[in-house]
């Protein structure tokens, strides 16, 4: 069934096509080749219907307009002309026999280009002849034709401007005569075999004269003008019109103003070519007025990279027009390069945008507010039915005024850019300073563009381009909204003038002047809309219009019916006829009151309406006018400098659009940042001009290639800026606030807010007809940068030792916070996913990771061999006594500051923090290790360490066996009567057997030390994991329904079987609520809650890593128990012949304690406290603790020392007996305290007596509820007193 149209339209009106993309780019105009409404689309054919005898004038206008369009195409050919000779190949000597073929090919290539130049030559001759003939028609004393109209005057001026520009281009293009000389040379070579070449040679000679003669077109025009009779009348009319228009500057847009400025010096030269003509000219136009105009504009924009100077034109033309050389006042004007420094400073204040940007900013803000307010009022008016007519007229008139003001603002602003560029081209930088030291010379283009704009000038130019494009976008979007209002206002203006103002004039001023009355009547006839005021009831007319016949004005409906170009053309002509009376020699200006009988007020009304008529056409051609006024594509073109520099193209560093983009990014100016896309509209405008105006595909290709390159660089730089900002923001947020508060320079660590959010929402960037998703490109690039940053951090960690783990965690924390902040504006990949990718830990069956592997490699190669333990501080430090093992490590990767913390200041702050943890490994490092590895990779590392511990025990076995074999067969208890010195000598005698086993001793001590380091590392890990588990338990216990009982056991605090989390989701799932669109999802959540309950409850009774490690070590020692802990055959303790592990360790301990107090490097400084942890743990797990405490050499020596000291003290003698052994005794006491500490910890964490523990096989599989088989206690085997 078909949907009714009304319902479909109503449904469509509910859809919103808007998004949250901000308007921070210029408007996108449709490419159109149609002519605008500023000229008649039907070439003024309808003028004849008004019976004004303007047929000849109209025909001449159409002819001039056609010539003008052709001339612009010729100008495009000349401006874009590039030398063909440079592309021609040069034959080597070996191919000289092919010289004739090369000449023929060269001739054929150059003949195509020369044919275009011949066409220009023929066209300029025809155009000059027709323009001169057109001027001569209006200079005859017996003139019988009407005209020239104002439109006709503009057509003459525009065609003259085209001829001047062609002449200027021909003079400036040095490649054209160069190519012609090659063409003539090849023609001479190839024409030898041809016949009848005389005509071709004549054409060549004419073309050579044309190309080599400066100002050939202007000289030809002068000859054509004065061939029959003088044209001083029309020239003076043109000069008066130009001067008045420039002085009034009313209803002139910048392209029209530049046309007048370019033609005025040429008109003055042509009109003053004789003394008689110059005298009559200066009677109508004072020379001071001309001088003021030329002084106010010393440079005139002509082409994107070429400018004209009125003073230079006058001086150069004076050599070709000898009679003009008498005009000394005009010839003494200074060219731009001749200006004195003070004059140049004054002009610089006039031309540089930076001196006006404050006023422009105020104008922009004020206009934006008032224009938006006018649009809001218009929208409100359109939404109302039966609105008051007068209020509606006022609102629409306000919109019209705002549009006119907007056009004038855009014209002024764009003109400022044109004039600043012309001034910069005329005043190149004299002493450019390059940032690249290897550059010794600079091209001319670099001097006028790259090094001619300071940072402040670039900022001002970016700001102005942004204002222009912003206002253009605002006006372009409202095109359809304001169209009817504009047309109605124009209609009302015209009708009010012709129906009311002219009616009043006819009744008063012109009542007795029949000729003028007839003209005014013609004006009313051709433009009055009488149908607009016939259907209005008298009852609806305003009260003031109900008066008498004389005072009542016509009332008419507002209708969106604007006058045509022909009507405007005729109305301007009729007003001109009324004012001048058709007399071209009338003294004064166009609307001067000299010799006129028209009152001043009426003359002012005619003048105002006359200039309004000219502006109406721009208003009606709304979109084309906006596009013309906001076209800044000229900032890219550089054809003249490409030719003078003899290069194919300049690098992008010399391109002004890219210079502006780069300045915005590099300056990090928060106010400019949102305008970074505006300079890309310069490329859009340049591409449009290359295709539509210049019609050169190669120019578009060059623009496209540069845009591709620039946009790629822009994306890279923009993403770097975004990443740096968010990285710095994150680093600043993570700094300790109290630290910043205490610093006097804390503000340098703060980050100024930047407006990236608007740019990150851009999904439709219009560039050369393409729509680019900036958000998508940025997201893709930022994802890549995050991965590169993680990769860099891991690469950097791999070049450092294990102590850098804290710095790595802090840098990853900063990166993660930056990712979190940036994710608010971009849809980035998950940080955990990127981290797993860079750690090569994405597979479900991969429990290792890059970081875990690096930590294990670092522990195996550097940490365990070269770090020693300080039990007091619970830290591992690098041993200064051990020569570092040569561990091959990659070089430190180089990266930009934003891969660290963002800025140099933040980098230094965090480096200071990292240095606090760089010299040791302790609990902070263990916390970082646990957080970085997580529950997935940490078990793998633990298993790797335990396997390493098992391997070390296996490696230790032959070493211990070698030391056991070398021991004496009998070692008894130390005698007390020998004293301390004697006991030490006895021990030394017992251990002399190891003198030849020094390598075994060192390797055994290192092995025991590494075992102790692993076990203590596990104890630190156990401390950290217990704290983490406790914190997690505190968070999950309320949801699991757990509470501690009286005996410390966990109990359920609910009677029901379900935990609170299950009960909560079950109650939600069973509740019927019609607002839930998908109740099944609640049941899924309930089942997931049950799974979470089981998962978290199973993790509550987590075991101890240290206890697991001790059990694993005990299992690893089981296979060596028979060698290291031999059961006495007699069943009693073997005192003298025992070679168990405790005896070996006791001897090793005695030796390294002796070495610790001798002159050799401290063995304790090499081994640290890890040796005690390793040795005592093995002794404890072998059940030899009491044996060790009884028979340890150091224990026995200390016991002897205590007895000896006590005996000496009771005899009141000085304790000189132990002199020289104080250091050794002190080292033994420290060793005993350390051993007792380790044994007490082991008893607390792994009690051996009656312990129901978990034995572990070598494979790691647990055996539950197995009782350890302990060795017989020493106290049970000792002989008891009285036994």
């Amino acid at each position: 069934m078909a949907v009714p149209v009304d319902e479909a339209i109503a449904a469509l009106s509910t859809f919103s096509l808007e998004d949250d993309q901000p308007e921070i780019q210029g408007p996108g105009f449709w490419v159109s080749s149609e002519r605008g409404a500023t000229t008649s689309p039907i070439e003024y054919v309808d003028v004849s219907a008004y019976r004004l005898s303007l047929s000849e004038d109209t025909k001449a206008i159409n002819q001039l307009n056609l010539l003008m369009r052709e001339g612009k195409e010729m100008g495009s050919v000349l401006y874009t002309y590039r030398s063909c000779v440079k592309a021609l190949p040069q034959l080597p000597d070996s191919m000289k026999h092919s010289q004739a073929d090369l000449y023929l090919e060269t001739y054929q290539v150059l003949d195509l280009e020369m044919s275009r130049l011949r066409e220009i030559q023929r066209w300029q001759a025809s155009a000059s002849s027709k323009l001169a003939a057109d001027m001569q028609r209006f200079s005859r004393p017996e003139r019988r034709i009407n005209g020239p109209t104002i439109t006709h005057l503009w057509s003459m001026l525009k065609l003259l401007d085209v001829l001047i520009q062609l002449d200027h281009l021909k003079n400036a293009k040095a490649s054209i005569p160069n190519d012609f000389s090659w063409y003539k040379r090849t023609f001479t070579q190839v024409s030898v075999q041809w016949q009848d070449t005389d005509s071709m040679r004549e054409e060549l000679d004419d073309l050579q004269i044309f190309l080599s003669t400066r100002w050939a077109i202007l000289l030809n025009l002068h000859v054509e003008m004065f061939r029959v009779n003088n044209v001083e009348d029309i020239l003076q009319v043109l000069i008066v019109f130009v001067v008045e228009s420039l002085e009034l500057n009313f209803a002139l847009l910048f392209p029209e103003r530049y046309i007048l400025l370019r033609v005025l010096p040429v008109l003055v030269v042509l009109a003053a070519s004789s003394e008689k003509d110059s005298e009559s000219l200066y009677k109508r136009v004072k020379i001071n007025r001309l001088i003021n105009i030329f002084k106010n504009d010393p440079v005139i924009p002509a082409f994107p990279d070429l400018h004209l100077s009125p003073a230079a034109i006058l001086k150069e033309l004076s050599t070709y027009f000898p009679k003009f050389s008498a005009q000394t006042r005009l010839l003494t004007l200074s060219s731009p390069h001749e200006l004195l420094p003070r004059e140049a400073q004054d002009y610089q204040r006039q031309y540089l945008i930076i001196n006006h940007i404050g006023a422009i900013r105020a104008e922009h803000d004020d206009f934006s507010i008032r224009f938006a307010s006018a649009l809001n009022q218009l929208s409100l008016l359109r939404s109302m039915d039966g609105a008051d007519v007068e209020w509606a007229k006022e609102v629409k008139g306000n919109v019209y005024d705002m549009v006119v003001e907007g056009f004038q603002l855009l014209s002024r602003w764009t003109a400022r850019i044109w004039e600043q560029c012309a001034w910069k081209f005329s005043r190149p930088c004299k002493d450019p300073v390059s940032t690249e030291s290897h550059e010794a010379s600079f091209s001319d283009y670099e001097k006028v563009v790259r090094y001619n704009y300071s940072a402040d000038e670039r900022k001002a130019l970016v700001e102005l381009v942004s204002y222009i494009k912003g206002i253009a976008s605002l006006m372009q979007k409202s095109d359809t909204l304001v169209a009817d209002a504009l047309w109605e206002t124009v209609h009302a203006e015209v009708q009010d003038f012709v129906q009311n103002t002219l009616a009043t004039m006819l009744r008063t001023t012109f009542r007795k002047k029949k000729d003028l009355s007839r003209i005014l009547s013609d004006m009313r006839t051709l433009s009055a809309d009488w149908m607009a005021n016939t259907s209005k009831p008298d009852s609806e007319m305003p009260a003031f219009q109900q008066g008498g016949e004389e005072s009542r004005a016509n009332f008419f409906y507002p209708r969106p019916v604007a006058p045509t170009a022909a009507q405007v053309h005729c109305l301007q002509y009729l007003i001109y006829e009324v004012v001048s009376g058709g007399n071209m020699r009338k003294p004064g200006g166009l609307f001067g009151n000299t010799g006129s009988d028209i009152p001043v007020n009426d003359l002012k009304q005619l003048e105002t309406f006359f200039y309004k008529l000219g502006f109406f056409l721009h208003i009606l051609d709304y979109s084309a006018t906006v596009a013309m006024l906001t076209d800044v594509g000229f900032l890219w073109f550089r054809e003249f400098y490409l030719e003078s520099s003899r290069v194919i193209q300049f690098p992008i560093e010399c391109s002004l659009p890219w210079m502006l983009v780069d300045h915005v990014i590099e300056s990090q100016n928060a106010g400019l940042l949102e305008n970074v896309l505006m300079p890309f509209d310069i490329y859009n405008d340049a591409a449009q001009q290359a295709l539509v105006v210049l019609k050169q595909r190669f120019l578009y290709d060059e623009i496209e290639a540069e845009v591709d390159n620039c946009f790629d660089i822009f994306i890279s730089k923009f993403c770097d800026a975004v990443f740096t900002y968010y990285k710095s923001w994150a680093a600043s947020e993570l700094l300790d606030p109290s630290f910043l508060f205490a610093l006097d320079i804390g503000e340098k660590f703060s980050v100024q807010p930047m407006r990236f959010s608007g740019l990150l929402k851009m999904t439709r960037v219009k560039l050369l007809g393409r729509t680019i998703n900036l958000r998508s490109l940025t997201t893709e690039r930022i994802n890549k940068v995050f991965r590169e940053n993680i990769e860099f951090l891991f690469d950097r960690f791999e070049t450092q030792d294990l102590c850098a783990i804290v710095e790595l965690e802090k840098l990853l924390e900063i990166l993660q916070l930056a990712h979190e902040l940036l994710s608010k504006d971009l849809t980035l990949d998950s940080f955990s996913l990127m981290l797993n990718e860079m750690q090569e830990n994405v597979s479900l069956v991969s429990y290792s990771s890059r970081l875990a592997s690096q930590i294990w490699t670092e522990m195996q190669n550097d940490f365990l061999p070269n770090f020693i333990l300080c039990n007091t501080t619970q830290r591992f430090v690098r041993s200064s006594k051990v020569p570092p093992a040569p561990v091959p490590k990659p070089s430190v990767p180089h990266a930009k500051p934003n891969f660290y913390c963002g800025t140099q200041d933040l980098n230094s702050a965090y480096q200071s923090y990292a240095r606090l943890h760089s010299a040791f490994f302790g609990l902070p490092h263990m916390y970082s290790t646990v957080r970085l590895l997580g529950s997935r990779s940490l078990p793998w590392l633990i298993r790797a360490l335990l396997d390493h511990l098992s391997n070390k025990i296996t490696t230790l076995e032959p070493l211990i066996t070698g030391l056991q074999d070398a021991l004496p067969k009998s070692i008894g208890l130390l005698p007390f009567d020998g004293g301390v010195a004697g006991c030490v000598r006895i021990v030394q005698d017992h251990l002399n057997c190891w003198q030849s086993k020094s390598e075994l001793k060192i390797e055994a001590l290192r092995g025991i030390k590494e075992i102790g380091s692993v076990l203590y590392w596990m104890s630190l890990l156990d401390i950290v994991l217990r704290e983490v588990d406790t914190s997690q338990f505190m968070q999950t216990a309320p949801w699991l329904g757990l509470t501690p009982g009286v005996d410390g056991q966990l109990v359920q605090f609910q009677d029901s079987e379900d935990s609170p989390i299950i009960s909560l989701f079950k109650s939600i799932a069973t509740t019927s609520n019609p607002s839930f669109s998908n109740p099944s999802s609640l049941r899924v959540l309930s089942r997931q809650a049950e799974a979470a309950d089981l998962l978290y409850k199973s993790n509550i009774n987590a075991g101890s890593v240290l206890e697991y490690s001790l059990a694993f070590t005990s299992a690893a020692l089981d296979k060596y128990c028979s060698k290291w802990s031999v059961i006495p055959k007699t069943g009693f303790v073997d005192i003298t012949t025992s070679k168990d592990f405790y005896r070996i360790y006791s001897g090793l301990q005695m030796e390294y304690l002796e070495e610790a107090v001798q002159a050799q490097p401290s063995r304790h400084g090499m081994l640290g406290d890890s040796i005690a942890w390793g040795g005592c743990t093995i002794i404890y797990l072998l059940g030899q603790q009491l044996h060790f405490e009884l028979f340890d050499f150091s224990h026995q020596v200390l016991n002897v020392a205590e007895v000896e000291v006590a005996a000496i003290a009771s005899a009141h003698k000085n304790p000189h007996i132990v002199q020289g052994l104080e250091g050794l005794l002190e080292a033994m006491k420290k060793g005993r305290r350390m051993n007792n500490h380790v044994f007490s910890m082991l008893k607390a964490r792994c009690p051996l007596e009656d312990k129901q523990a978990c034995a572990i096989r070598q494979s790691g599989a647990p055996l539950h509820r197995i009782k350890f088989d302990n060795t017989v206690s020493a106290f049970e085997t000792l002989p008891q007193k009285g036994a």
Side-chain angles (χ1 to χ4, degrees), residues 658-819:
W658 172 248
M659 286 166 52
L660 301 181
V661 175
D662 188 59
H663 172 75
V664 174
I665 297 177
E666 296 295 336
S667 65
Q668 294 294 306
N669 189 317
L672 278 184
L673 191 59
E674 289 188 343
N675 300 329
V676 70
L677 293 176
M678 290 298 184
F680 280 106
D681 277 342
I682 299 174
Y683 288 115
N684 290 336
D685 294 341
Q688 176 78 2
Q689 193 169 350
L691 289 178
V692 177
V693 180
L694 300 177
K695 298 180 180 179
Q696 298 294 339
R697 176 59 187 267
F698 76 90
L699 280 179
Y700 176 81
D701 292 339
E702 290 180 352
I703 296 170
E704 186 179 33
E706 182 174 319
V707 168
D708 290 342
N709 188 16
C710 290
F711 200 77
D712 287 344
I713 300 175
F714 162 71
I715 289 294
S716 177
K717 287 197 169 190
F718 173 69
C719 292
D720 283 347
V722 170
F723 183 75
T724 301
Y725 168 70
Y726 281 91
K727 191 79 175 289
S728 305
W729 183 10
S732 178
E733 290 289 325
L734 291 176
L735 278 178
D736 187 0
S738 59
F739 163 75
L740 295 176
F741 181 76
L743 282 179
D744 294 334
I745 55 172
E747 65 276 0
K748 76 175 184 178
F749 299 115
S750 61
V751 178
Q752 298 299 323
M754 302 287 286
R755 300 176 183 176
F756 283 110
S757 56
L759 289 168
L760 296 179
K761 293 177 182 178
M762 294 294 292
T763 57
R764 300 185 309 278
V765 176
K766 300 179 287 293
L767 202 58
L768 302 190
R770 293 171 289 179
T771 301
I772 299 174
N773 191 335
L774 180 62
R775 179 185 176 88
S776 175
L777 292 176
T778 306
T779 302
E780 180 182 346
R781 175 73 180 177
I782 291 292
N783 279 327
K784 181 182 178 183
V785 172
F786 268 105
R787 286 174 168 83
E788 290 175 352
N789 200 168
I790 296 173
E791 177 77 15
F792 163 75
L793 294 180
F794 285 150
D795 288 344
R796 186 169 181 268
F797 177 68
E798 289 170 0
T799 65
Q800 299 172 300
D801 57 26
L802 201 57
C803 301
I805 191 74
V806 174
E807 182 185 12
L808 174 64
E809 187 205 11
K810 181 60 68 174
L811 293 176
L812 285 174
E813 185 181 359
I814 294 171
L815 191 62
Q816 185 173 9
L817 180 57
H819 180 276

Side-chain angles (χ1 to χ4, degrees), residues 218-392:
L218 187 58
L219 293 174
N220 183 37
L221 176 63
H222 179 262
V223 171
E224 293 291 340
M225 281 183 178
F226 295 92
R227 185 184 299 275
V228 179
N229 60 335
N230 292 331
V231 291
E232 69 276 1
D233 290 345
I234 188 63
L235 288 177
Q236 291 177 10
V237 169
L238 290 173
I239 292 174
V240 170
F241 176 72
V242 170
V243 171
E244 275 198 353
S245 299
L246 289 173
E247 289 178 342
L248 291 174
N249 199 21
F250 181 76
L252 271 185
L253 299 181
F254 77 89
E256 300 164 344
R257 183 172 179 272
Y258 292 155
I259 289 174
L260 301 182
L261 287 172
R262 286 192 293 264
V263 301
L264 182 58
V266 175
L267 286 175
V268 170
V269 171
L270 293 175
S273 56
S274 66
E275 295 180 3
K276 179 182 177 181
D277 294 341
S278 61
E279 290 176 3
S280 60
L281 170 65
Y282 296 141
K283 287 181 181 178
R284 300 188 65 178
V285 181
K286 298 297 182 184
I287 193 171
N288 288 334
R289 296 171 68 186
L290 297 174
I291 293 175
N292 288 335
I293 291 174
F294 295 148
K295 278 190 174 182
N296 288 335
D297 293 276
V299 290
I300 307 168
F303 308 97
D305 56 338
L306 282 176
H307 67 279
L308 297 179
S309 169
I313 293 175
L314 293 174
K315 290 177 182 178
E316 187 172 359
L317 290 180
S318 64
T319 61
Y320 297 93
F321 296 88
K323 294 181 180 179
F324 180 73
S325 58
Q327 309 298 323
T328 55
R329 293 189 62 186
L330 292 176
L331 295 177
T332 54
L333 294 173
S334 300
S335 300
H337 62 279
E338 299 172 346
L339 294 173
L340 298 176
R342 186 172 180 178
E343 292 179 335
Q345 284 292 109
D346 294 337
Y347 283 121
Q348 194 157 315
R349 282 192 290 270
Q350 171 188 339
Y351 282 117
L352 295 188
I353 296 171
I354 191 174
N355 300 318
H356 308 278
I357 194 64
I360 291 173
R361 189 182 298 116
E363 291 174 348
H364 169 268
D365 296 343
D366 177 66
F367 176 78
S368 300
I369 295 171
R370 292 189 294 112
F371 187 73
S373 175
L375 293 182
N376 292 338
Q377 286 187 338
L378 184 60
S379 300
L380 178 63
L381 175 63
R382 295 182 64 177
S383 64
M384 296 173 59
D385 293 331
D388 182 67
V389 176
E390 289 299 322
W391 181 68

Side-chain angles (χ1 to χ4, degrees), residues 871 1145 1149 1152 1169 1171-1173 1175-1177 1179-1180 1184-1190 1192 1194-1195 1198-1199 1202 1227-1245:
N871 191 78
Y1145 178 70
Q1149 180 182 248
Y1152 85 74
D1169 295 333
I1171 186 69
W1173 277 88
C1176 292
T1177 301
I1179 291 172
Y1180 180 80
Q1184 299 174 1
Q1185 177 189 353
L1186 295 179
H1187 296 70
F1188 176 73
E1189 292 175 349
L1190 285 174
D1192 176 36
S1194 61
H1195 280 61
L1198 288 176
N1199 290 337
E1202 290 175 3
M1228 289 179 178
K1229 290 177 182 179
K1230 290 181 180 179
R1232 183 169 63 179
R1233 287 195 298 268
M1234 186 66 214
N1235 294 338
N1236 292 336
H1237 169 75
V1238 175
F1239 284 134
S1240 64
M1241 190 279 302
L1242 292 172
K1243 286 180 181 179
R1245 300 302 299 272

Side-chain angles (χ1 to χ4, degrees), residues 2 5 70 152 214 284 409 438 575 729 871 906 1003 1036:
V5 176
E70 293 175 350
H152 198 155
R214 292 184 64 82
R284 300 188 65 178
L409 278 179
H438 64 272
I575 293 174
W729 183 10
N871 191 78
L906 289 169
E1003 292 301 325
T1036 58

Side-chain angles (χ1 to χ4, degrees), residues 1119-1135:
K1119 63 171 68 175
Y1120 308 110
C1121 191
S1122 59
K1123 297 181 181 181
W1124 291 0
S1125 183
V1126 181
I1127 300 175
K1129 297 178 181 179
T1130 61
F1132 296 98
V1133 175
D1134 191 353
I1135 297 176

